[in-house]
Amino acid sequence: MDATHRIPIRGQDDDENGARRCSGEQSRLGGGDTPNNMTNPEARVTGHGASGGLSRAESAPRLIIGKITPPAQTPDAVVRARLIQEVFDHARGVVLVLAPAGFGKSMLMAQLHEHALTSGAPAAWLTLDQRDNDLSRFLAYFHAVASRLLPVQLLPSAVPISGPGQYFGRQADATALIDALASSSRPYWLFIDDIEHVDAPEVLHVLQELIDNLQEGQHLVLGSRSIHQLSLRALELGGRLMRIGSSHLRFDVAETEDFVGRQEGLHLSPTDSKLMLDRTHGWAAGLRLVALSLTGRSDCTEWLATLSGSSASIAEYLAENVLGRLPEHACRFLLYSSVLEQLNGELCDSLLDRSDSQDLLRQFERSNLFLSRITPAIDPNLLSYRFHSLFRDFLLQELQQADPTAIPELNRRAARWHASRQRFMPAIDYALQANDSVLAAEIMDSCIMGFIEVAQMETVARWIDAIPPDIAKNYLHLQRARAYAMIALHRYEEAEDALNHCRIAAAKCGEPVPPEVTIQLALLHEFADRHDLSEKEIAHIADQLDAHDASSKGIACNISAYHDIAHSRFDAAREVLSRAKFGGDGANTNIWSATYTSCFEGVIELLQGNVREAMTRFDAAKMRAKGAAVGVASSFLAQALYETDDRLSASSLLNEYLRLIRDTADLDTIIMAYRVASRAAFVDGDDPRVQSLLSELGDIGDSRGVRRPKACAWLEKSRLSLLRGDCESARRYLELGSNPRIWQAHSGLHLLANELEDPATAAARFQLVSGNTGQAVPMLKRLLEEANTTGRLWRRTHLQNLLGQALVASGDIRSGLSLLESVLCFAYRNQLQRVISDEPWLLHEPLEELKRRVRIIPADYLDRQKEAGDRLLRDNASMAATNVICSPLTTRESGLLRLVVDGRSNKEIARLLDISENTVETHLRRINQKLDTHNRTQAIARARELGLLR
């Protein structure tokens, strides 16, 4: 099989005219490494005019002017201003521009050359090719460029040239040139491109001497795909070398948009430009090729989404300018190793049945062959590499055409190699790429519970989803892991199916149902918000906890501790949480379980008002967490941060992890995260985000078949409506969120997410703000008595604040102020802030009075509370007119919505109301905006909930 059947191997041209042809082909890409619209390569430098001082020539010197002329800038060339600025601001003696083909190093050098000339500095250019390995030829060109840097009288005589290709330069001539340049105090910029073509020792010696003898103000800019021939280490250590690599040359967003804007007939949105940048990784030639491919297309977004290294123009470029220059054995190595995400010598030897892979990889690295060295996390000492993604795409496409049957076996070999070294993640991925489900299942079964322990739930689910069910069912550990992953990802039916397979496997062996299955079933009930069923399941095995492995025991203890906390049995919860940390075989190494253990310990502190201690525990849990566990810890930590009024940190944390929390956490953790995020957004005046977050919280409950998230969203909307002065909307939301059918299953439990925001507290708040203090006071007293009895001091602080306001409002000012003084003292000592300032209804005057009469509470704390409360009421009262619910439907909109309820089409509605269909659509959009809905069905349901349809 000829793996390089599509890859031409070009020979070297035999005449001077062909010396630049190879590089010239790159130039047609624009933004590549060589000239576009380059001066005619057949033009010659004659006499003294251009080269200067060639008087000793026996005949007219004949030099290719293109070699001593920088590449011409294309009309659409992007000026690399940031790189030019960096070079001239921090100019070193040597600037090395080192990058693979097509990264635009020659274009950058040309722009630097132009900038140097503009600034008044002497500048010269030389492009090297393979023929410059002839010392005498090299010296002829070197003398020509030197004559542009120094006056001719300071230079030695030129190298004699008797005819085309006949030069008579000697090492002494080179020494004389170096001495002339070094002895001059004149500053200059000398640009030498394509250094990689030169490997003759005598020529390299001249270049090294030039580098080593640079004087102050003299600058040498070298362009190359590789630089292993020259010694630059001493320069670098001495701070005299600036490196500009491919990472610097990659276009950024602004440069990409500039480039796109210069392309005639190409009109891309900023999103498509960003996609174009992402797909090409900022590779200049790639951007050029993509732009050429997109010009005139109407499906740019779709085309960009499928862009890869196999795209025709990119493939042609790589085949011609990269693989076409390599020997066959090197091409073959690259093609067959392209199945690998990461390459190292040992793996490639195993994959390709050879023993010299590491040497080849080093050669490729030195040649800058779209190969980057990396330090893999699995083994920092392993010398490993990665292909540029477009180059790898291209290689894989070539391999697919050359030898498609080899690809599955190559992936199988890679899978076995990684598995034998316990690198299970890549091993499984390679087995799946080989479409070998049995091999993948075998590898998974040996390691997958380890991924559960580090909370890689989404990874586990992705792997198991890729295994056919009739194969996966035969592997017990796969089903154990599947149950955990599906519970965490809220795929409850699939979790039950996995547990059934575990029961079946036990029955086949004549064994009882494993206790772990009972624990997993209890966990499933917890995530499905059936705490009553979960408590019963855990009770069955409560006396067997210490007999389980550390991981299962930790989960069971966490569930038990949750119930103890919900029943205000804090000492019992602490005891069971301490048991959760250790199992029969040592510490619990299950990160997911251990994170919940630490967070529940922090929760106990928070419920008892110790917010700083709680925050310390949450923060420590987050630092140790991995995978899905990071989201759990982040939710609890954000709650504590918000309570201390560090809204910026809380919002930042949730912005980063809210999706992870939504997808992998339990309901209490999810509800807390969304409530904190929405409250922080509300304080900051970002009402659209508030509405979006609370709507999404409700949708989470709907999609998972649980009702508490939507009820919590309604209760929060009731509070927000009160802050906006809209009592009617607050009442409707309160009725929806307090539906007894939703809360009946949680009777007698203080759920973590509802410590401060439950139906009873929301009802008491509504009576207070509505002016019904006669009802609010007894309601709050009953709730406060329970909080005192159960030792839930955070909740007590919340209720005391509301009750103190209610007493003042009812006329019992002395009792109200006394209670508020007590609660504010406690809040100040424990650094509690938002539990007070989120409920500012009637606090302004009492805070002013307390500031006058109380000295034990610092005035600045009272001022912060007053300012926060005043801002919350003042800033949001003005929003009542634009609030989606307190902006009721117009008569026309209500009538139109009733026609929608009747099942009328837009055309029928337009005819009946004597308006156009476009006007009907406009009304429907406004209705959806006001009701915070997205379609007709949702609008009808929401309008009925709010009593807008009679």
Side-chain angles (χ1 to χ4, degrees):
M1 189 282 303
D2 180 8
T4 61
H5 69 293
R6 294 178 58 207
I7 305 167
I9 306 295
R10 179 177 48 244
Q12 178 64 44
D13 294 295
D14 294 327
D15 62 355
E16 288 283 343
N17 296 339
R20 290 277 293 179
R21 185 176 301 158
C22 177
S23 296
E25 287 166 355
Q26 297 176 36
S27 74
R28 290 193 297 273
L29 298 170
D33 293 340
T34 49
N36 195 328
N37 301 326
M38 187 177 66
T39 304
N40 183 355
E42 295 191 42
R44 307 295 179 179
V45 180
T46 59
H48 302 285
S51 60
L54 297 179
S55 59
R56 290 179 54 189
E58 296 180 9
S59 62
R62 300 175 61 81
L63 300 180
I64 302 173
I65 195 171
K67 284 175 60 65
I68 55 176
T69 304
Q73 298 290 303
T74 59
D76 61 354
V78 174
V79 177
R80 309 302 300 274
R82 59 184 175 88
L83 296 175
I84 294 171
Q85 188 72 36
E86 184 177 353
V87 170
F88 280 87
D89 283 352
H90 308 284
R92 314 284 173 81
V94 175
V95 179
L96 175 61
V97 186
L98 184 67
F103 270 87
K105 55 183 172 58
S106 295
M107 286 295 104
L108 171 64
M109 289 174 65
Q111 291 175 4
L112 291 170
H113 178 272
E114 181 179 355
H115 189 85
L117 289 175
T118 302
S119 65
W125 182 281
L126 175 61
T127 300
L128 300 178
D129 57 57
Q130 290 182 346
R131 292 172 184 264
D132 290 314
N133 283 296
D134 180 329
L135 177 63
S136 60
R137 181 180 189 272
F138 168 76
L139 290 176
Y141 283 101
F142 188 22
H143 191 285
V145 298
S147 69
R148 298 184 176 185
L149 304 176
L150 298 179
V152 66
Q153 61 270 23
L154 297 181
L155 290 173
S157 299
V159 174
I161 305 174
S162 63
Q166 299 179 28
Y167 308 92
F168 300 97
R170 300 161 299 168
Q171 194 68 48
D173 297 314
T175 302
L177 273 171
I178 298 296
D179 287 345
L181 291 168
S183 61
S184 170
S185 60
R186 289 170 61 93
Y188 64 75
W189 287 81
L190 174 56
F191 297 80
I192 304 180
D193 199 11
D194 290 350
I195 296 285
E196 73 275 5
H197 290 307
V198 174
D199 55 16
E202 59 272 22
V203 176
L204 292 174
H205 178 73
V206 175
L207 290 172
Q208 191 69 54
E209 286 290 305
L210 176 63
I211 291 169
D212 294 341
N213 286 279
L214 284 174
Q215 303 302 304
E216 186 70 25
Q218 297 177 347
H219 304 284
L220 179 60
V221 182
L222 304 175
S224 182
R225 296 187 186 183
S226 61
I227 202 66
H228 59 279
Q229 305 97 327
L230 297 174
S231 176
L232 301 174
R233 183 62 174 165
L235 280 176
E236 193 161 23
L237 291 175
R240 297 175 55 215
L241 174 71
M242 172 184 284
R243 285 181 180 266
I244 298 178
S246 55
S247 61
H248 303 90
L249 289 166
R250 295 183 193 279
F251 277 43
D252 61 18
V253 174
E255 289 169 332
T256 302
E257 291 180 349
D258 186 5
F259 171 76
V260 170
R262 295 168 180 264
Q263 307 307 304
E264 186 175 352
L266 181 60
H267 305 287
L268 297 182
S269 67
T271 300
D272 285 342
S273 294
K274 179 63 166 57
L275 183 58
M276 180 178 176
L277 175 64
D278 292 341
R279 284 290 188 265
T280 60
H281 300 275
W283 176 37
L287 288 168
R288 167 69 64 185
L289 293 164
V290 171
L292 291 172
S293 300
L294 285 174
T295 301
R297 297 187 71 101
S298 59
D299 58 344
C300 293
T301 302
E302 293 79 2
W303 191 89
L304 284 168
T306 60
L307 174 65
S308 72
S310 61
S311 300
S313 54
I314 295 177
E316 180 182 351
Y317 176 86
L318 293 172
E320 179 72 11
N321 290 283
V322 180
L323 292 192
R325 298 174 177 226
L326 298 175
E328 184 175 352
H329 77 279
C331 290
R332 187 178 181 85
F333 179 93
L334 291 172
L335 288 176
Y336 283 86
S337 63
S338 65
V339 300
L340 300 173
E341 292 282 349
Q342 296 182 13
L343 303 86
N344 64 71
E346 185 183 346
L347 171 56
C348 291
D349 283 345
S350 174
L351 195 75
L352 306 176
D353 293 325
R354 59 191 306 147
S355 59
D356 62 343
S357 298
Q358 195 62 50
D359 291 337
L360 270 174
L361 288 170
R362 286 196 180 97
Q363 290 177 29
F364 294 150
E365 180 186 19
R366 288 194 294 268
S367 300
N368 250 316
L369 197 66
F370 293 96
L371 197 71
S372 302
R373 186 187 295 197
I374 58 173
T375 302
I378 53 177
D379 184 355
N381 297 316
L382 189 64
L383 192 60
S384 297
Y385 301 87
R386 176 182 288 122
F387 288 122
H388 183 290
S389 60
L390 284 176
F391 188 47
R392 181 170 181 247
D393 287 345
F394 161 69
L395 292 172
L396 285 170
Q397 181 70 13
E398 292 288 298
L399 180 59
Q400 181 64 43
Q401 296 196 31
D403 192 3
T405 59
I407 296 176
E409 179 56 30
L410 290 169
N411 279 302
R412 269 191 289 271
R413 290 188 181 189
R416 293 191 180 102
W417 185 89
H418 282 92
S420 69
R421 287 152 182 81
Q422 296 190 329
R423 297 168 184 166
F424 296 116
M425 186 172 285
I428 293 168
D429 285 338
Y430 282 119
L432 292 174
Q433 289 175 40
N435 292 319
D436 193 332
S437 298
V438 173
L439 175 61
E442 289 173 351
I443 298 173
M444 287 182 205
D445 203 54
S446 68
C447 67
I448 201 161
M449 287 304 296
F451 287 91
I452 291 295
E453 291 198 347
V454 294
Q456 296 293 322
M457 306 302 182
E458 291 176 311
T459 298
V460 168
R462 175 175 61 83
W463 284 341
I464 295 178
D465 287 344
I467 303 296
D470 59 332
I471 294 177
K473 69 180 182 182
N474 299 318
Y475 296 89
L476 176 60
H477 297 310
L478 255 68
Q479 295 304 321
R480 292 175 59 207
R482 181 180 173 224
Y484 283 120
M486 298 307 162
I487 291 170
L489 297 175
H490 305 279
R491 294 161 59 177
Y492 303 142
E493 290 183 4
E494 293 172 79
E496 290 179 353
D497 182 68
L499 292 176
N500 284 333
H501 282 300
C502 292
R503 295 187 187 97
I504 292 170
K508 287 182 178 178
C509 299
E511 298 177 357
V513 175
E516 184 185 38
V517 173
T518 302
I519 294 171
Q520 289 179 310
L521 183 58
L523 185 64
L524 173 59
H525 290 322
E526 283 292 318
F527 268 68
D529 215 28
R530 292 302 308 271
H531 306 290
D532 51 340
L533 298 179
S534 174
E535 196 165 11
K536 290 178 182 178
E537 294 293 343
I538 287 296
H540 291 324
I541 58 168
D543 57 347
Q544 306 173 35
L545 289 181
D546 290 329
H548 300 154
D549 64 89
S551 180
S552 297
K553 176 186 173 182
I555 293 171
C557 287
N558 285 337
I559 295 172
S560 182
Y562 177 92
H563 296 143
D564 284 333
I565 293 170
H567 288 292
S568 305
R569 301 188 293 255
F570 297 135
D571 289 341
R574 287 191 178 95
E575 191 278 330
V576 76
L577 288 171
S578 68
R579 293 170 66 191
K581 296 178 180 179
F582 301 96
D585 57 351
N588 181 7
T589 58
N590 186 315
I591 295 295
W592 195 46
S593 171
T595 299
Y596 269 107
T597 300
S598 297
C599 287
F600 285 166
E601 289 178 327
V603 163
I604 295 172
E605 298 295 337
L606 179 60
L607 297 183
Q608 296 188 320
N610 303 320
V611 65
R612 285 294 173 185
E613 178 62 27
M615 189 182 302
T616 299
R617 292 181 182 269
F618 297 148
D619 192 41
K622 183 179 180 298
M623 293 293 290
R624 295 191 298 267
K626 298 178 182 178
V630 177
V632 173
S634 296
S635 178
F636 284 101
L637 179 57
Q639 175 70 77
L641 288 167
Y642 177 77
E643 179 56 55
T644 62
D645 206 26
D646 188 354
R647 300 192 310 279
L648 182 62
S649 296
S651 296
S652 176
L653 198 62
L654 292 176
N655 284 341
E656 184 173 0
Y657 294 111
L658 193 60
R659 188 204 67 81
L660 182 64
I661 295 168
R662 178 198 68 198
D663 291 346
T664 62
D666 64 285
L667 286 178
D668 279 289
T669 304
I670 292 169
I671 293 168
M672 283 191 302
Y674 275 84
R675 182 187 292 121
V676 168
S678 67
R679 288 195 175 189
F682 188 81
V683 173
D684 293 333
D686 190 353
D687 192 59
R689 177 159 173 77
V690 174
Q691 299 299 333
S692 174
L693 286 166
L694 294 178
S695 294
E696 185 175 342
L697 177 59
D699 292 343
I700 289 170
D702 291 341
S703 65
R704 296 172 186 174
V706 290
R707 305 176 69 183
R708 187 159 59 108
K710 176 164 274 188
C712 290
W714 277 326
L715 292 179
E716 188 63 17
K717 287 186 176 184
S718 176
R719 189 185 76 91
L720 299 182
S721 295
L722 288 175
L723 285 169
R724 294 181 176 125
D726 182 10
C727 288
E728 180 58 25
S729 294
R731 181 189 62 77
R732 290 171 177 167
Y733 280 130
L734 177 61
E735 290 175 356
L736 292 168
S738 302
N739 189 332
R741 288 178 297 178
I742 298 175
W743 297 97
Q744 187 174 2
H746 310 303
S747 177
L749 297 176
H750 288 283
L751 303 177
L752 301 187
N754 300 108
E755 184 69 7
L756 303 185
E757 198 61 44
D758 63 321
T761 304
R765 175 200 295 123
F766 179 79
Q767 297 301 332
L768 165 65
V769 181
S770 299
N772 301 319
T773 54
Q775 297 184 47
V777 169
M779 293 170 67
L780 288 166
K781 284 184 175 179
R782 285 194 299 271
L783 294 172
L784 182 56
E785 182 181 359
E786 180 191 23
N788 277 320
T789 302
T790 57
R792 307 181 85 90
L793 304 186
W794 189 35
R795 178 174 173 81
R796 184 189 70 179
T797 303
H798 181 230
L799 294 168
Q800 284 178 328
N801 176 34
L802 291 174
L803 179 57
Q805 295 179 56
L807 289 170
V808 170
S810 67
D812 191 352
I813 297 176
R814 176 176 302 201
S815 297
L817 288 177
S818 176
L819 184 56
L820 287 173
E821 179 182 345
S822 173
V823 69
L824 286 165
C825 283
F826 180 84
Y828 170 72
R829 287 198 308 270
N830 291 277
Q831 302 181 54
L832 300 172
Q833 174 78 25
R834 298 309 310 187
V835 70
I836 303 295
S837 54
D838 276 352
E839 306 283 356
W841 316 105
L842 306 170
L843 264 183
H844 182 90
E845 294 300 330
L847 287 172
E848 289 282 6
E849 181 63 26
L850 289 173
K851 184 179 176 181
R852 285 192 293 270
R853 68 165 67 176
V854 176
R855 295 291 177 263
I856 192 172
I857 309 173
D860 64 335
Y861 178 76
L862 295 176
D863 285 339
R864 287 200 308 273
Q865 288 287 10
K866 183 164 64 69
E867 181 182 348
D870 289 350
R871 176 188 173 191
L872 205 60
L873 291 169
R874 179 184 66 250
D875 291 355
N876 289 287
S878 62
M879 297 173 60
T882 58
N883 182 42
V884 293
I885 295 305
C886 54
S887 176
L889 302 182
T890 65
T891 303
R892 172 59 62 90
E893 289 167 348
S894 297
L896 189 147
L897 190 57
R898 291 190 187 93
L899 293 175
V900 172
V901 173
D902 292 339
R904 304 282 188 172
S905 67
N906 284 8
K907 182 177 290 187
E908 290 177 301
I909 294 172
R911 180 176 54 80
L912 291 170
L913 298 181
D914 194 23
I915 56 179
S916 70
E917 288 187 55
N918 285 338
T919 302
V920 172
E921 292 175 358
T922 300
H923 281 308
L924 289 174
R925 279 197 299 272
R926 288 176 180 168
I927 290 170
N928 279 320
Q929 289 171 358
K930 291 181 178 182
L931 299 182
D932 190 21
T933 55
H934 304 289
N935 54 49
R936 291 173 172 228
T937 303
Q938 291 179 1
I940 293 169
R942 184 65 54 84
R944 282 173 171 161
E945 289 172 356
L946 299 172
L948 301 180
L949 289 176
R950 301 298 181 187

